[in-house]
Amino acid sequence: MLTLVSFVVTLGILIAVHEYGHYRVAVACGIKVLKFSIGFGKPIYTWRLKNKDTEFAIGMLPLGGYVKMLDEREAPVDPAERHLAFNTQPLASRAAVVAAGPLANLLLAVLLYSVVNWSGLQEPKAVLASPVAGSLAERAGLNGHETVQQAAFEGEELETVRSFEDLRWRMTQGALDGRDLQLVLGNDASPSTRTVVLPLSKIDTAEADAQLFRKIGILGPWTQPVIGEIMAGSAAQKSGLQAGDVVQRIGDRAIVDGQQLRETIRTSARSSAENDGAVVPQTWQVLRAGQPVALSVTPQITQEGGVSVARIGAYVGAPPEFVTVRYGPLEGLWGGAVRTWEVSVLTLKMMGKMVIGEASLKNLSGPLTIADYAGKSVTMGWTSYLVFLALVSVSLGVLNLLPLPVLDGGHLMYYLWEWVTGRGVSDAWMDRLQRGGVAILLGMMCIALFNDLTRLVG
C-alpha cells in the first residue's frame, strides 16, 4: 500500500509541476487556457478559480496530464478571441510555452537537491569495503577499510569526497565517460595518505548496467562482518549461527568486513558446481560474546538470472558508519544546480549510448521500478525520498526534451524548422512524424516494462 501511495504522490507532484510550467507561461503570454488536468480519463474532481476561465481537473488515470489551450486547429475560435489562441502567437511565445514544462521539472530538481543540501543527508562514510576479487579496484591496489578523502578525474583538481554516495556518483560518471578516477586514500588513525588510480576507462560502456559496480569492484562501504537477523528455517539457523556473531574465518580464509563475507558466501556456489552440484559444508569461526565458536555452515543454492548463488538466509554485515552531509545557503543552491546539470548530462549520454548500441537497453526503467523505488525511498526517510523525486524529475524533464514528435522536444523541433524555413511543418508530414514518434515511444515503454518485470521477478 505504501508503494502505491508513494507512486501516485510522486507522479502527481511531477505531472502537476510539468503542466503548471506550460500553464504559467501560456497565461504570461496572453494565451487563453481552457483546461488544466492532472491525469487522464474521466475527472474525479474539478474546480475553477475565481474570475478565471480555466477548468482544473484531476483525472482517474494518474499517468500524465495536459493543458488545453484555445487553438484554431482544434475547434472554431470566436474572432474576438483569436488573439488569445495558441496558434496565433509569435513563434517565440509558442516555443516558450512548450519548453516551460520540461524546464519546470528541471527547476524542481534544483530546488529538491538544494533542500536536501541545506537540511543535511545521512550518508555512509566513504570507507571502502574489500574489493571484488579480480576487479578493477583490486588490480588498482585497493585493499578495503581505506577512507577516500579526495578524488579527481585526470586533468582536474582534487575535491573532497564527502560520503560514499559522493564516490559512487563519481565512479558512475567516470565509467560512462571513460575517464580514470584518482583517489587519495587515508584513515583516521594516521595522517599519511596514498594515491591510486581507478582505471574506469577500461570498462566497456556497453557493460554499464545494474552490475556496473560489481565490475568496478566497489559494491559498498565498509561494515563489520556481523550476522544480523536470521530467517526461520534458513541455513544460518540450521547451522547454529546467532544474531551478533562476528565472523572471523570461513575455511582457511580470514574475513575482515561484511562485503568480503557476503562475497565469500555468494561465490561458494562455485564449489558446489565443481562438486557435481553437491552443497559443500563450510567451517566457520565466529566470535560470540567474546568467545570463539566453530560451526559447520551449509549454504543454500539459489538461481539468480541463470547463475547459481549461495545464500544462508540471514542479514550479513553491520550498518555502515554514517556522516551528515550539509551545505550552506549559496553552496547548497549551487550544488543543487550542479547536480541537476550533471544528472541531465549523464541521462542524455546514457540514452545516446543506448541508441548507438554502446549501452544496454536493460538500463531503461518503467513505472514498476519507479513505484518500487518510491516506496523504498519513503521508508528510508524524507530526504531520501526528495533525492529520488529530484532524480525522476530530471529524467522526466530530459525525456520530454528529446526530439520525438509526441513529446515537447518534438514540438520544439517543429518550431526550429519553422524558424529556419519560415513555414510550418505540413499536415501530412506532421501525421507521419506523430505516428513514428508514437511507435518509438511505445517501443521504449515495452522495453522498460519488460526490464521492470525482469528485475522484480528476478
Side-chain angles (χ1 to χ4, degrees), residues 124 127-133 164 168 214 217-228 247 250 253-270 282 284 299-300 304 308-320:
V127 182
L128 301 179
S130 297
V132 176
F164 186 83
R168 187 194 296 271
R214 177 168 292 278
I218 300 176
L219 297 180
W222 187 89
T223 60
Q224 191 179 12
V226 175
I227 300 297
V247 182
I250 295 181
R253 184 177 187 180
I255 304 298
V256 297
D257 63 33
Q259 177 57 43
Q260 183 196 21
L261 175 57
R262 285 187 290 271
E263 282 297 298
T264 302
I265 296 170
R266 177 187 176 90
T267 57
S268 62
R270 297 172 187 169
Q282 302 170 341
W284 285 36
Q300 297 168 328
E304 292 185 5
S308 295
V309 177
R311 302 285 189 193
I312 63 169
Y315 187 89
V316 177

Side-chain angles (χ1 to χ4, degrees), residues 287-299:
L287 196 64
R288 181 180 298 167
Q291 299 297 319
V293 177
L295 299 170
S296 178
V297 180
T298 305

Side-chain angles (χ1 to χ4, degrees), residues 63 136 144 174 256 259 277 284 305 310 338 359 382 415 422 431 446 453:
L63 296 178
L136 289 179
V256 297
Q259 177 57 43
W284 285 36
V338 170
W382 71 274
Y415 298 147
D431 182 64
C446 289
L453 293 173

Side-chain angles (χ1 to χ4, degrees), residues 5 75 112 151 178 181 192 209 231 320 322 391 395 404 411-412 419 429 433 436 438:
V5 172
L112 293 173
L181 184 63
S192 63
D209 54 18
M231 296 174 58
F322 282 82
L391 178 62
S395 300
L404 290 177
H411 291 283
L412 292 175
W419 179 68
W429 268 105
L433 291 170
V438 169

Side-chain angles (χ1 to χ4, degrees), residues 12-146:
I13 293 173
L14 299 181
I15 293 168
V17 168
H18 182 92
E19 300 305 335
Y20 184 77
H22 291 311
Y23 167 79
R24 187 65 260 167
V25 175
V27 171
C29 291
I31 301 170
K32 185 176 181 179
V33 179
L34 304 177
K35 189 172 184 178
F36 178 109
S37 178
I38 301 174
F40 298 117
K42 184 179 179 180
I44 58 177
Y45 184 69
T46 62
W47 72 96
R48 289 180 184 272
L49 299 178
K50 188 177 181 180
N51 300 323
K52 298 291 184 180
D53 295 323
T54 306
E55 178 188 47
F56 294 85
I58 297 177
M60 292 188 66
L61 298 175
L63 296 178
Y66 61 92
V67 173
K68 183 178 181 181
M69 291 168 272
L70 191 68
D71 196 315
E72 291 179 319
R73 298 169 299 179
E74 297 184 3
V77 174
D78 188 329
E81 293 189 323
R82 189 172 183 275
H83 66 288
L84 302 176
F86 176 80
N87 66 292
T88 65
Q89 303 303 309
L91 178 60
S93 297
R94 285 178 281 141
V97 171
V98 171
L103 292 179
N105 284 123
L106 296 177
L107 288 175
L108 173 64
V110 172
L111 176 61
L112 293 173
Y113 280 130
S114 298
V115 169
V116 170
N117 289 341
W118 295 328
S119 60
L121 186 63
Q122 286 287 106
E123 294 183 343
K125 191 174 180 180
V127 182
L128 301 179
S130 297
V132 176
S135 64
L136 289 179
E138 185 183 58
R139 294 196 296 271
L142 294 175
N143 303 311
H145 215 181
E146 301 111 326

